[in-house]
Amino acid sequence: MDNIVLCGFMGCGKSTVGRNIARKTGKKFVDMDSYIEDKAGLTVSEIFDKFGEDGFRDMEHNACKELSQLKGLIIASGGGAFTFERNVSVFKGKDTIVLLDVPLSVIKYRLRNDKVRPLLQRPDKDKAMQELYEKRLPIYKNAADIIVSGKNTPMKTAFTVIEAVKEAKI
Ligand code: S3P
């Protein structure tokens, strides 16, 4: 089976929903950020500090290439991964790309106490999130094969994704 790759903004639930899909389907779950962290022996924040965002994006691109070689995985991508055409083209046509679509207000609420995401550790966090969200949403939509609302519980969203992927393949 091809991989199911979840994409979407930080806080849309890619990792939690991905774990639920894996549990329900018996597939293996891979969190792309954790994969990068394990390879680098550093956290995402440490990678940003040490190598800058560009360094992180290169590692992310390598992770996309490596993971796309594997089969049958449920992959939670990092929120920036699918904003780069070079990563979209690694998965497009081979794996099923699913956008978890969540309104900005919900994302803002979910990430209100975030202390780990490097892009959100700034005094103008709210404004920065809004700008990034508006810029990225059309890019995610364009990359996705399937768009699913991620507003519900992770369990319900996981079920919706599984059904939508099945339907798309019929
Ligand atoms: C990023 C999202 C993060 C992580 C890194 C950059 C982004 O992943 O890859 O902090 O550019 O949106 P999550 O979407 O899992 O938070």
Side-chain angles (χ1 to χ4, degrees):
M1 189 195 98
D2 302 327
N3 303 308
I4 296 176
V5 195
L6 302 178
C7 80
F9 204 77
M10 293 172 267
C12 74
K14 300 176 294 286
S15 303
T16 326
V17 171
R19 273 193 199 91
N20 277 285
I21 300 173
R23 211 170 297 135
K24 277 173 183 285
T25 56
K27 306 284 176 199
K28 188 174 175 229
F29 172 73
V30 179
D31 182 89
M32 197 182 280
D33 283 339
S34 304
Y35 180 88
I36 295 166
E37 288 180 332
D38 288 350
K39 279 199 85 171
L42 297 166
T43 65
V44 170
S45 295
E46 288 167 343
I47 298 171
F48 268 70
D49 284 348
K50 222 171 158 186
F51 303 107
E53 182 173 348
D54 287 351
F56 173 76
R57 296 302 174 196
D58 286 343
M59 293 183 197
E60 183 172 60
H61 181 53
N62 286 335
C64 289
K65 286 193 286 191
E66 288 165 17
L67 292 173
S68 75
Q69 303 290 312
L70 306 174
K71 276 180 175 270
L73 301 178
I74 311 299
I75 302 171
S77 67
F82 279 89
T83 65
F84 293 89
E85 183 48 40
R86 63 178 179 167
N87 296 332
V88 178
S89 59
V90 163
F91 293 108
K92 197 76 183 172
K94 175 191 171 285
D95 299 310
T96 307
I97 304 169
V98 182
L99 166 62
L100 298 186
D101 192 14
V102 176
L104 181 61
S105 55
V106 176
I107 300 265
K108 277 188 178 168
Y109 183 75
R110 288 183 185 169
L111 299 181
R112 67 197 178 286
N113 296 321
D114 183 82
K115 297 275 180 292
V116 295
R117 290 174 173 86
L119 297 180
L120 302 183
Q121 309 315 308
R122 41 192 295 169
D124 63 343
K125 173 178 162 183
D126 256 35
K127 187 170 165 270
M129 270 174 79
Q130 173 145 4
E131 282 173 10
L132 204 55
Y133 183 92
E134 283 168 3
K135 190 171 146 208
R136 285 179 170 185
L137 188 59
I139 304 175
Y140 292 139
K141 286 189 170 167
N142 199 40
D145 299 308
I146 298 172
I147 301 175
V148 163
S149 165
K151 263 200 310 190
N152 295 310
T153 62
M155 201 64 143
K156 193 157 182 240
T157 306
F159 182 75
T160 312
V161 172
I162 293 168
E163 289 305 304
V165 170
K166 267 192 214 154
E167 231 172 79
K169 288 193 169 157
I170 290 168

PDB file of all heavy atoms in Angstrom, residues 39-51:
ATOM      1  N   LYS A  39      17.328  11.365  13.655  1.00  0.00           N
ATOM      2  CA  LYS A  39      18.497  11.311  12.758  1.00  0.00           C
ATOM      3  C   LYS A  39      19.555  12.316  13.159  1.00  0.00           C
ATOM      4  O   LYS A  39      20.748  12.060  13.094  1.00  0.00           O
ATOM      5  CB  LYS A  39      18.068  11.578  11.306  1.00  0.00           C
ATOM      6  CG  LYS A  39      17.491  10.364  10.634  1.00  0.00           C
ATOM      7  CD  LYS A  39      17.507  10.501   9.136  1.00  0.00           C
ATOM      8  CE  LYS A  39      18.845  10.076   8.588  1.00  0.00           C
ATOM      9  NZ  LYS A  39      18.835   9.992   7.116  1.00  0.00           N
ATOM     10  N   ALA A  40      19.080  13.523  13.557  1.00  0.00           N
ATOM     11  CA  ALA A  40      20.022  14.605  13.878  1.00  0.00           C
ATOM     12  C   ALA A  40      20.545  14.490  15.310  1.00  0.00           C
ATOM     13  O   ALA A  40      21.584  15.076  15.641  1.00  0.00           O
ATOM     14  CB  ALA A  40      19.324  15.950  13.679  1.00  0.00           C
ATOM     15  N   GLY A  41      19.812  13.764  16.150  1.00  0.00           N
ATOM     16  CA  GLY A  41      20.169  13.714  17.564  1.00  0.00           C
ATOM     17  C   GLY A  41      19.934  15.059  18.237  1.00  0.00           C
ATOM     18  O   GLY A  41      20.575  15.400  19.236  1.00  0.00           O
ATOM     19  N   LEU A  42      19.049  15.840  17.677  1.00  0.00           N
ATOM     20  CA  LEU A  42      18.731  17.183  18.183  1.00  0.00           C
ATOM     21  C   LEU A  42      17.226  17.402  18.084  1.00  0.00           C
ATOM     22  O   LEU A  42      16.578  16.795  17.231  1.00  0.00           O
ATOM     23  CB  LEU A  42      19.419  18.254  17.322  1.00  0.00           C
ATOM     24  CG  LEU A  42      20.944  18.292  17.279  1.00  0.00           C
ATOM     25  CD1 LEU A  42      21.408  19.189  16.128  1.00  0.00           C
ATOM     26  CD2 LEU A  42      21.517  18.794  18.598  1.00  0.00           C
ATOM     27  N   THR A  43      16.697  18.281  18.926  1.00  0.00           N
ATOM     28  CA  THR A  43      15.279  18.624  18.786  1.00  0.00           C
ATOM     29  C   THR A  43      15.122  19.600  17.620  1.00  0.00           C
ATOM     30  O   THR A  43      16.113  20.204  17.161  1.00  0.00           O
ATOM     31  CB  THR A  43      14.739  19.320  20.058  1.00  0.00           C
ATOM     32  OG1 THR A  43      15.417  20.579  20.195  1.00  0.00           O
ATOM     33  CG2 THR A  43      14.935  18.458  21.302  1.00  0.00           C
ATOM     34  N   VAL A  44      13.886  19.780  17.158  1.00  0.00           N
ATOM     35  CA  VAL A  44      13.643  20.741  16.064  1.00  0.00           C
ATOM     36  C   VAL A  44      14.146  22.128  16.470  1.00  0.00           C
ATOM     37  O   VAL A  44      14.816  22.814  15.688  1.00  0.00           O
ATOM     38  CB  VAL A  44      12.137  20.772  15.683  1.00  0.00           C
ATOM     39  CG1 VAL A  44      11.846  21.940  14.742  1.00  0.00           C
ATOM     40  CG2 VAL A  44      11.711  19.451  15.043  1.00  0.00           C
ATOM     41  N   SER A  45      13.889  22.527  17.707  1.00  0.00           N
ATOM     42  CA  SER A  45      14.355  23.849  18.179  1.00  0.00           C
ATOM     43  C   SER A  45      15.880  23.941  18.117  1.00  0.00           C
ATOM     44  O   SER A  45      16.427  24.964  17.694  1.00  0.00           O
ATOM     45  CB  SER A  45      13.936  24.097  19.629  1.00  0.00           C
ATOM     46  OG  SER A  45      12.564  24.175  19.704  1.00  0.00           O
ATOM     47  N   GLU A  46      16.542  22.882  18.546  1.00  0.00           N
ATOM     48  CA  GLU A  46      18.016  22.891  18.510  1.00  0.00           C
ATOM     49  C   GLU A  46      18.526  22.948  17.072  1.00  0.00           C
ATOM     50  O   GLU A  46      19.525  23.625  16.788  1.00  0.00           O
ATOM     51  CB  GLU A  46      18.568  21.645  19.224  1.00  0.00           C
ATOM     52  CG  GLU A  46      18.390  21.713  20.738  1.00  0.00           C
ATOM     53  CD  GLU A  46      18.627  20.374  21.448  1.00  0.00           C
ATOM     54  OE1 GLU A  46      18.623  19.304  20.777  1.00  0.00           O
ATOM     55  OE2 GLU A  46      18.783  20.386  22.684  1.00  0.00           O
ATOM     56  N   ILE A  47      17.821  22.261  16.163  1.00  0.00           N
ATOM     57  CA  ILE A  47      18.235  22.293  14.747  1.00  0.00           C
ATOM     58  C   ILE A  47      18.098  23.721  14.211  1.00  0.00           C
ATOM     59  O   ILE A  47      19.000  24.248  13.543  1.00  0.00           O
ATOM     60  CB  ILE A  47      17.414  21.294  13.892  1.00  0.00           C
ATOM     61  CG1 ILE A  47      17.654  19.865  14.366  1.00  0.00           C
ATOM     62  CG2 ILE A  47      17.770  21.435  12.408  1.00  0.00           C
ATOM     63  CD1 ILE A  47      16.728  18.806  13.740  1.00  0.00           C
ATOM     64  N   PHE A  48      16.971  24.385  14.518  1.00  0.00           N
ATOM     65  CA  PHE A  48      16.778  25.777  14.077  1.00  0.00           C
ATOM     66  C   PHE A  48      17.893  26.656  14.657  1.00  0.00           C
ATOM     67  O   PHE A  48      18.440  27.519  13.968  1.00  0.00           O
ATOM     68  CB  PHE A  48      15.411  26.313  14.537  1.00  0.00           C
ATOM     69  CG  PHE A  48      14.290  26.139  13.540  1.00  0.00           C
ATOM     70  CD1 PHE A  48      13.772  24.881  13.249  1.00  0.00           C
ATOM     71  CD2 PHE A  48      13.724  27.235  12.891  1.00  0.00           C
ATOM     72  CE1 PHE A  48      12.714  24.715  12.340  1.00  0.00           C
ATOM     73  CE2 PHE A  48      12.669  27.084  11.981  1.00  0.00           C
ATOM     74  CZ  PHE A  48      12.165  25.816  11.712  1.00  0.00           C
ATOM     75  N   ASP A  49      18.226  26.459  15.940  1.00  0.00           N
ATOM     76  CA  ASP A  49      19.263  27.286  16.585  1.00  0.00           C
ATOM     77  C   ASP A  49      20.623  27.061  15.938  1.00  0.00           C
ATOM     78  O   ASP A  49      21.381  28.000  15.709  1.00  0.00           O
ATOM     79  CB  ASP A  49      19.388  26.926  18.082  1.00  0.00           C
ATOM     80  CG  ASP A  49      18.242  27.516  18.881  1.00  0.00           C
ATOM     81  OD1 ASP A  49      17.512  28.374  18.334  1.00  0.00           O
ATOM     82  OD2 ASP A  49      18.047  27.101  20.042  1.00  0.00           O
ATOM     83  N   LYS A  50      20.925  25.810  15.679  1.00  0.00           N
ATOM     84  CA  LYS A  50      22.269  25.450  15.211  1.00  0.00           C
ATOM     85  C   LYS A  50      22.469  25.676  13.718  1.00  0.00           C
ATOM     86  O   LYS A  50      23.511  26.161  13.288  1.00  0.00           O
ATOM     87  CB  LYS A  50      22.501  23.969  15.528  1.00  0.00           C
ATOM     88  CG  LYS A  50      23.876  23.689  16.070  1.00  0.00           C
ATOM     89  CD  LYS A  50      24.008  22.274  16.563  1.00  0.00           C
ATOM     90  CE  LYS A  50      25.507  21.964  16.547  1.00  0.00           C
ATOM     91  NZ  LYS A  50      25.804  20.629  16.853  1.00  0.00           N
ATOM     92  N   PHE A  51      21.444  25.317  12.932  1.00  0.00           N
ATOM     93  CA  PHE A  51      21.615  25.335  11.467  1.00  0.00           C
ATOM     94  C   PHE A  51      20.682  26.314  10.763  1.00  0.00           C
ATOM     95  O   PHE A  51      20.695  26.417   9.536  1.00  0.00           O
ATOM     96  CB  PHE A  51      21.387  23.930  10.894  1.00  0.00           C
ATOM     97  CG  PHE A  51      22.288  22.875  11.496  1.00  0.00           C
ATOM     98  CD1 PHE A  51      21.783  21.935  12.381  1.00  0.00           C
ATOM     99  CD2 PHE A  51      23.643  22.833  11.191  1.00  0.00           C
ATOM    100  CE1 PHE A  51      22.608  20.961  12.950  1.00  0.00           C
ATOM    101  CE2 PHE A  51      24.471  21.864  11.746  1.00  0.00           C
ATOM    102  CZ  PHE A  51      23.949  20.927  12.636  1.00  0.00           C
TER     103      PHE A  51
END
